[in-house]
Amino acid sequence: MNEAKNLSLTGWVRSLHDDRLEVLIQGTEENIQLFRVHLLQGPPLSKVENMECKWIEYEKSFSDFEVRQ
């Protein structure tokens, strides 16, 4: 969440029941690419095995980045 805010990205992240995360982000392409690198590294005690990304058109615009339940 902090990295998304540092990169001026908006949207959300949520945990799925199978230990995966789902993220929807909006921002500049450059900052989204930097965020992807950050996600691949993960936090210190995590292990990122795979990442799937899809570029989509999304009608809603977000004003902040939030963690959803």
Side-chain angles (χ1 to χ4, degrees), residues 22-60:
E22 181 176 34
V23 183
L24 187 142
I25 54 174
Q26 297 173 331
T28 66
E29 187 172 342
E30 179 182 357
N31 286 355
I32 290 172
Q33 295 295 353
L34 291 170
F35 189 66
R36 288 178 66 194
V37 170
H38 177 76
L39 290 176
L40 281 170
Q41 294 170 353
L45 298 177
S46 71
K47 181 179 179 185
V48 178
E49 295 178 350
N50 187 27
M51 182 185 334
E52 294 178 27
C53 298
K54 295 179 186 176
W55 295 89
I56 62 171
E57 294 293 325
Y58 199 76
E59 294 178 10
K60 183 177 179 182

Side-chain angles (χ1 to χ4, degrees), residues 10-12 24-27 56-66 68:
T10 60
W12 50 263
L24 187 142
I25 54 174
Q26 297 173 331
I56 62 171
E57 294 293 325
Y58 199 76
E59 294 178 10
K60 183 177 179 182
S61 180
F62 296 92
S63 59
D64 202 1
F65 192 86
E66 63 185 42
R68 292 189 171 178

Side-chain angles (χ1 to χ4, degrees), residues 1-31:
M1 186 165 134
N2 291 334
E3 187 65 22
K5 289 185 177 193
N6 289 339
L7 292 169
S8 300
L9 298 173
T10 60
W12 50 263
V13 61
R14 66 179 169 195
S15 294
L16 303 176
H17 296 290
D18 58 1
D19 294 330
R20 293 182 302 145
L21 295 177
E22 181 176 34
V23 183
L24 187 142
I25 54 174
Q26 297 173 331
T28 66
E29 187 172 342
E30 179 182 357
N31 286 355

